[in-house]
Amino acid sequence: MGMTSKLMVGNWKMHGSLAANASLLPDILSGMGGVTCRAAVCVSAVYLAQAQSLLTGSALAWGAQDVSAHESGAYTGEVSAAMLHDFAVRYAIVGHSERRQYHGETDAVVASKAQRALAAGITPIVCVGESQAEREAGQTESVVKRQLAAVIHANGHCISEIVVAYEPVWAIGTGLTASPEQAQAVHAVLRAQLQAATAHADRVSILYGGSMNADNAASLLAQPDVDGGLIGGASLKAPDFLSMLKAASR
Ligand code: PEP
């Protein structure tokens, strides 16, 4: 079981606009009275300056959705960890399944990204998760362990500084959610793997992601090794996101 307060992170993906963000962020902030969990939104890199200006000093942190595996140099289109640090981001998602699937990110690339984030003082939110076919083939445990092992091996004693997000690929954006028992079973496997790597595994928040919403959040968050959520679609609606933040504050 994680030791700290729960952590709820919105993943806005490629959504938002200056105008939409200028109402969504204040709407979220204005409903955060009584929220005691940790909370953040991961926005497109082009909106980090806006997030910084609207959220500085508030209880809502902001983060990026990716970071370059390279430190600096001739990598057109990439955003480095140092650049993210310029905008005071607390978190960077790495290895989201959409990046693994559509951008060919390997376990090794994801591990390098986590390393770059940590070196810049940014907490990587390392996403792991099996596809539908892998689950059906009984490979869920081996897939998530392989994905996390790459990050553990590249990051040594810093591993207690990461956040892990278990996101079954078949549950992302599909409306299908892992049952609380299915989520807990995988989270327990990940916790044990972290425990074998660090004496501080209890400090690592293990988030669940995949169609988490205002209706199912509480039962998922009640599981002993579910330390929070990574939330896509439902994080774009202030009332839904707020009700999930409240569920995580109980
Ligand atoms: C995600 O992309 O991280 C995610 C969990 O999306 P959704 O909540 O929309 O399934």
Side-chain angles (χ1 to χ4, degrees), residues 11 13 96 98 167 171-174 209-212 230-234:
N11 171 16
K13 311 194 187 196
H96 191 280
E98 289 153 14
E167 298 209 307
I172 296 178
T174 57
S211 299
M212 196 187 242
L230 182 56
I231 304 135

Side-chain angles (χ1 to χ4, degrees), residues 34-89:
V35 168
T36 56
C37 68
R38 293 168 293 150
V41 286
C42 290
V43 304
S44 165
V46 297
Y47 297 130
L48 287 171
Q50 184 188 25
Q52 182 180 21
S53 105
L54 291 174
L55 301 179
T56 296
S58 80
L60 187 59
W62 57 98
Q65 298 174 7
D66 186 25
V67 62
S68 179
H70 306 286
E71 190 171 4
S72 68
Y75 300 104
T76 302
E78 293 275 276
V79 176
S80 72
M83 293 170 183
L84 297 179
H85 180 77
D86 265 349
F87 293 90
V89 312

Side-chain angles (χ1 to χ4, degrees), residues 6 11 24 39 41 46 48 58 69 92 105 114 131 135 176 182 222 232:
K6 296 218 190 281
N11 171 16
L24 178 54
V41 286
V46 297
L48 287 171
S58 80
E105 292 190 8
S131 67
R135 175 162 283 265
L176 297 173
Q182 284 175 322

Side-chain angles (χ1 to χ4, degrees), residues 197-237:
T198 169
H200 304 295
D202 283 1
R203 276 192 215 153
V204 178
S205 294
I206 306 178
L207 315 183
Y208 169 79
S211 299
M212 196 187 242
N213 59 39
D215 295 324
N216 61 29
S219 61
L220 287 158
L221 293 168
Q223 298 300 312
D225 289 300
V226 177
D227 303 318
L230 182 56
I231 304 135
S235 73
L236 293 164
K237 294 171 223 146

Side-chain angles (χ1 to χ4, degrees), residues 83-142:
M83 293 170 183
L84 297 179
H85 180 77
D86 265 349
F87 293 90
V89 312
R90 186 162 317 161
Y91 301 101
I93 296 171
V94 301
H96 191 280
S97 63
E98 289 153 14
R99 302 227 39 106
R100 293 181 190 260
Q101 261 184 286
Y102 309 145
H103 301 273
E105 292 190 8
T106 61
D107 293 338
V109 165
V110 173
S112 299
K113 290 184 171 200
Q115 232 172 343
R116 293 293 173 203
L118 286 167
I122 295 166
T123 300
I125 299 175
V126 176
C127 299
V128 300
E130 82 289 1
S131 67
Q132 178 78 57
E134 288 163 341
R135 175 162 283 265
E136 283 167 6
Q139 295 167 348
T140 297
E141 276 196 27
S142 63

